[in-house]
Amino acid sequence: NAGVTQTPKFQVLKTGQSMTLQCAQDMNHEYMSWYRQDPGMGLRLIHYSVGAGITDQGEVPNGYNVSRSTTEDFPLRLLSAAPSQTSVYFCASGISSSNEQFFGPGTRLTVL
Amino acid sequence: AQSVTQPDIHITVSEGASLELRCNYSYGATPYLFWYVQSPGQGLQLLLKYFSGDTLVQGIKGFEAEFKRSQSSFNLRKPSVHWSDAAEYFCAVGGDDKIIFGKGTRLHILP
């Protein structure tokens, strides 16, 4: 099993550009989530999904969209990148929110 | 909505000394509680979790944590730290389908 995979590993964007961070898992997990990690701020929940077709907002959803058309994939879209979105983004999956979450390797995003 | 406070941003202990990392949570119902560790440049790994039952939970790498409902705390302990324990430690609380993390405590080990 590959576990949780994220692409790309690194990305540099200009302000105003859009992009999609990809996340996929092969463990048949219903629950998936996106976090951003910033120095001194820990991990902050952006969006989460309890199953295909169901998504909800976390702590810091503004500027981000998600969709969950399949169990395996949970892409995160930046609509119009801003320097404040410079961060490391982690995708995670688990059987449910009450179970262990498995994290991807992260995507380091820089917005100029 | 749930929240987590980790009061200590940095902690330094000597190798072989005991360790306690503090975590306080806020949640109206019985929470799911987790401790994760992130080694430098790495992803997050689960150390242990509490759902119900015995309030003293054993985890991997010799760590344990104790759930104290009256204090809304879930402190992480280890009797004797090793240099390889140097990392960042995150407490997390689950409920209402969300998992909220604290800001983390960075552990430094003195030789």
Side-chain angles (χ1 to χ4, degrees):
Chain A
N1 287 350
V4 180
T5 58
Q6 292 183 237
T7 56
K9 285 186 167 45
F10 301 93
Q11 183 69 50
V12 179
L13 291 177
K14 295 181 179 178
T15 296
Q17 288 184 315
S18 62
M19 81 159 295
T20 299
L21 307 185
Q22 300 292 344
C23 174
Q25 53 93 7
D26 61 1
M27 296 173 281
N28 202 32
H29 287 161
E30 291 293 329
Y31 187 84
M32 296 186 75
S33 55
W34 276 101
Y35 292 87
R36 58 178 290 174
Q37 184 176 24
D38 302 290
M41 299 300 292
L43 288 95
R44 291 181 290 172
L45 180 65
I46 304 171
H47 285 285
Y48 64 97
S49 169
V50 299
I54 305 169
T55 64
D56 208 341
Q57 296 181 348
E59 301 171 279
V60 289
N62 292 343
Y64 307 95
N65 273 359
V66 292
S67 60
R68 184 96 181 269
S69 56
T70 67
T71 299
E72 295 78 18
D73 300 298
F74 192 42
L76 178 72
R77 297 182 186 84
L78 280 70
L79 308 173
S80 177
S84 61
Q85 293 178 304
T86 294
S87 187
V88 180
Y89 291 84
F90 287 100
C91 178
S93 76
I95 296 171
S96 72
S97 63
S98 59
N99 292 91
E100 176 180 4
Q101 301 301 301
F102 295 86
F103 284 80
T107 294
R108 185 173 294 275
L109 175 67
T110 301
V111 182
L112 303 175
Chain B
Q2 64 265 53
S3 65
V4 179
T5 301
Q6 294 182 248
D8 304 304
I9 300 173
H10 294 272
I11 281 188
T12 302
V13 298
S14 298
E15 191 168 17
S18 63
L19 171 70
E20 183 170 29
L21 302 182
R22 296 183 291 165
C23 172
N24 292 97
Y25 70 90
S26 174
Y27 185 60
T30 300
Y32 306 113
L33 295 163
F34 309 86
W35 274 99
Y36 284 82
V37 60
Q38 185 179 35
S39 299
Q42 302 297 310
L44 284 90
Q45 180 183 23
L46 180 71
L47 287 176
L48 47 77
K49 60 186 180 185
Y50 171 79
F51 294 160
S52 63
D54 193 347
T55 56
L56 186 62
V57 180
Q58 301 298 320
I60 62 171
K61 304 185 180 185
F63 286 92
E64 66 178 26
E66 186 171 12
F67 170 60
K68 293 185 177 180
R69 184 187 300 275
S70 61
Q71 300 177 18
S72 298
S73 69
F74 188 56
N75 294 349
L76 182 71
R77 300 194 295 248
K78 187 170 185 178
S80 177
V81 298
H82 185 262
W83 63 266
S84 60
D85 292 324
E88 190 154 24
Y89 292 79
F90 294 95
C91 181
V93 57
D96 298 332
D97 289 330
K98 296 180 188 178
I99 303 171
I100 303 299
F101 282 76
K103 294 185 177 181
T105 298
R106 185 167 295 278
L107 175 64
H108 307 271
I109 308 293
L110 294 176

